[in-house]
Amino acid sequence: MTIDEIRDNFALLDDWDDRYRYVIELGRTLDPMPEDEHSSTNKVNGCASQVWLSRRVTQNAAGEPILNYLGDSDAHIVRGLIAILLTLVSGRTPKEILAAEPIAVFDELGFREHLTPQRSNGLRSMIERIKADAHEAIAASA
């Protein structure tokens, strides 16, 4: 699924209850995270729910690092937020990740007004973690 498909589907849903159900459905599409990756290393601090992000670094044909993610949460709505976030960043170069503005996309979809402050803080924590991973990948490839 692409972010444009998510945007289009959101546009079709007028009611926020329907949008929440859609976000929960997106969470069900996440690739399963192996149990051993539900570790303290992969745990994202600053989230009200339990959230884990594990990263794999590969290289593209030009030799640039590519960050790929698996994500999981114990909260259904947060799994959906992770699915949207990973659509934006997983499979991208660190430079692409650092140039991305995930908060702007979530705001565009209307989440600023419809997430609790705790969920908003958790989303920012996930984004900060991914951006830190991107900086680390750049430093490691230098």
Side-chain angles (χ1 to χ4, degrees):
M1 174 141 318
T2 68
I3 194 60
D4 288 333
E5 290 171 316
I6 293 171
R7 280 185 180 109
D8 290 346
N9 290 334
F10 246 75
L12 296 173
L13 304 170
D14 295 324
D15 182 67
W16 265 91
D17 285 340
D18 292 336
R19 289 180 176 187
Y20 284 130
R21 280 191 282 281
Y22 175 61
V23 171
I24 290 167
E25 284 300 315
L26 288 174
R28 292 186 177 124
T29 69
L30 283 174
D31 289 335
M33 178 181 271
E35 197 55 43
D36 64 333
E37 292 194 32
H38 289 88
S39 65
S40 59
T41 302
N42 292 333
K43 191 165 192 284
V44 178
N45 296 318
C47 298
S49 303
Q50 301 278 337
V51 174
W52 299 270
L53 292 173
S54 70
R55 110 185 141 219
R56 301 274 184 280
V57 180
T58 58
Q59 289 187 337
N60 64 16
E64 297 173 296
I66 300 292
L67 278 68
N68 294 287
Y69 285 91
L70 289 178
D72 198 9
S73 176
D74 61 350
H76 295 296
I77 192 79
V78 176
R79 281 181 57 83
L81 296 175
I82 292 168
I84 295 169
L85 179 59
L86 296 188
T87 299
L88 294 167
V89 300
S90 194
R92 309 269 193 263
T93 67
K95 289 179 185 175
E96 290 171 322
I97 290 170
L98 293 172
E101 294 294 336
I103 290 292
V105 174
F106 280 93
D107 287 350
E108 172 193 335
L109 295 173
F111 283 103
R112 183 177 296 265
E113 301 85 30
H114 292 91
L115 288 181
T116 64
Q118 293 89 349
R119 295 264 191 256
S120 293
N121 289 339
L123 179 60
R124 277 191 284 287
S125 294
M126 288 186 270
I127 293 167
E128 287 170 10
R129 165 74 169 278
I130 289 168
K131 293 214 177 214
D133 289 346
H135 283 294
E136 185 179 305
I138 288 171
S141 68

